[in-house]
Amino acid sequence: MSVRMPLMAGNWKMHFTVAEAVALAEELKTGISRFDDREVVVAPPFTAIAAVASALAGSPIRLSAQNCYWENQGAFTGEVSPPMLRDLGCHYGIVGHSERRQFFGETNESVNRRARALLANNLAVILCIGETLEEREAGKTLDVLAEQLKGGLEGLGEEHADQLVLAYEPVWAIGTGHTATPEQAQEAHAFLRGNLAERFNNTVANSIRILYGGSVKPENVDELMAQPDIDGALVGGASLKGASFIRIVDFEE
Ligand code: PEP
């Protein structure tokens, strides 16, 4: 089994002015010391990416966008393209976040178009999937995950695997304070890895990182990260404060 470098990502959502974002970036730059055995990513709002990139110059902290459009340029008012994100210094793009699916009508198909556009522009993808509470209670969790994975990965091959990260984010756990138990998260992650093995092969499946997201905080990160198939965290609320995100990055093994 290949070694998967843990990846701890902070999703800043629609928070922070440029000055606030830069202040947090500077706090993380000086406060995070564990880069040899883990990767750290922050996803500021589009408006702050350029300034955060400058603030993080010389630091191994990587930048992600929270979303993107699938065309490179054109008459698409209000959209931001993958080449623009590369130009700003982004390494990753998040696609399919449940807030995008829930509030902005994203479908597996549109998520897949975004993922393919990022990859075509040499940006890595963090593909989010996860079931709602209703789906979990109806016993449909694994079916929903399989469907979202199938749709999200449509047309992608083994050659994209090293640019691909999955994030299992149960919708009922995002921003609610209700974290999945480590067992619930591990069950979903193991299922996803098995699905990846069927799609690609065991070696590829064992190389793809699967993050957990949903009310990760300093108090629960260690037990989540102790699960064999949890390779990192996508963190919303608890990534907005330097000390809290630094402790999450500093999870204990
Ligand atoms: C997220 O935004 O992806 C997320 C998991 O948010 P929170 O950590 O606040 O639940």
Side-chain angles (χ1 to χ4, degrees):
M1 182 159 146
S2 74
V3 176
R4 298 183 293 270
M5 166 89 85
L7 192 169
M8 311 309 273
N11 173 14
W12 295 355
K13 307 195 186 189
M14 196 175 73
H15 291 286
F16 302 142
T17 62
V18 170
E20 289 164 346
V22 165
L24 178 56
E26 279 167 355
E27 194 179 345
L28 299 179
K29 187 178 177 182
T30 51
I32 294 174
S33 54
R34 301 281 300 266
F35 290 112
D36 50 332
D37 61 351
R38 57 205 67 189
E39 184 180 349
V40 183
V41 173
V42 293
F46 288 132
T47 47
I49 292 177
V52 169
S54 300
L56 291 178
S59 157
I61 300 174
R62 285 178 159 161
L63 276 169
S64 176
Q66 298 175 16
N67 184 32
C68 72
Y69 194 55
W70 54 77
E71 296 289 347
N72 284 352
Q73 60 182 43
F76 304 103
T77 302
E79 294 297 327
V80 175
S81 74
M84 293 170 178
L85 297 172
R86 265 199 75 77
D87 188 39
L88 291 178
C90 284
H91 188 94
Y92 287 96
I94 296 171
V95 295
H97 191 283
S98 70
E99 288 152 15
R100 301 286 325 161
R101 294 179 190 259
Q102 205 179 336
F103 305 132
F104 303 100
E106 299 233 358
T107 61
N108 288 333
E109 196 203 339
S110 66
V111 169
N112 174 251
R113 293 180 84 167
R114 288 175 163 80
R116 283 193 284 170
L118 286 166
L119 292 166
N121 284 281
N122 219 1
L123 285 150
V125 168
I126 300 176
L127 169 64
C128 302
I129 56 179
E131 81 287 359
T132 62
L133 185 58
E134 197 182 8
E135 289 162 342
R136 173 162 283 267
E137 286 178 347
K140 292 186 187 153
T141 297
L142 301 184
D143 291 342
V144 169
L145 295 183
E147 190 62 31
Q148 291 181 341
L149 197 58
K150 183 167 177 279
L153 296 184
E154 187 70 41
L156 303 190
E158 203 177 314
E159 69 277 15
H160 299 115
D162 61 347
Q163 294 279 80
L164 180 65
V165 174
L166 296 186
Y168 168 59
E169 298 208 303
V171 178
W172 49 271
I174 298 180
T176 59
H178 300 301
T179 318
T181 64
E183 295 72 28
Q184 285 173 321
Q186 169 58 26
E187 183 196 16
H189 284 228
F191 171 78
L192 292 171
R193 201 172 308 284
N195 192 305
L196 290 172
E198 278 168 28
R199 164 176 294 270
F200 302 114
N201 56 54
N202 278 332
T203 310
V204 170
N206 284 333
S207 71
I208 294 177
R209 289 173 296 180
I210 309 178
L211 316 184
Y212 168 76
S215 298
V216 174
K217 41 196 174 224
E219 297 76 29
N220 59 25
V221 65
D222 298 342
E223 56 179 7
L224 287 162
M225 289 304 295
Q227 299 301 312
D229 286 295
I230 298 184
D231 307 315
L234 181 53
V235 187
S239 72
L240 301 178
K241 291 254 185 314
S244 145
F245 189 58
I246 289 166
R247 170 61 184 88
I248 287 170
V249 169
D250 214 13
F251 71 88
E252 279 161 23
E253 290 149 291

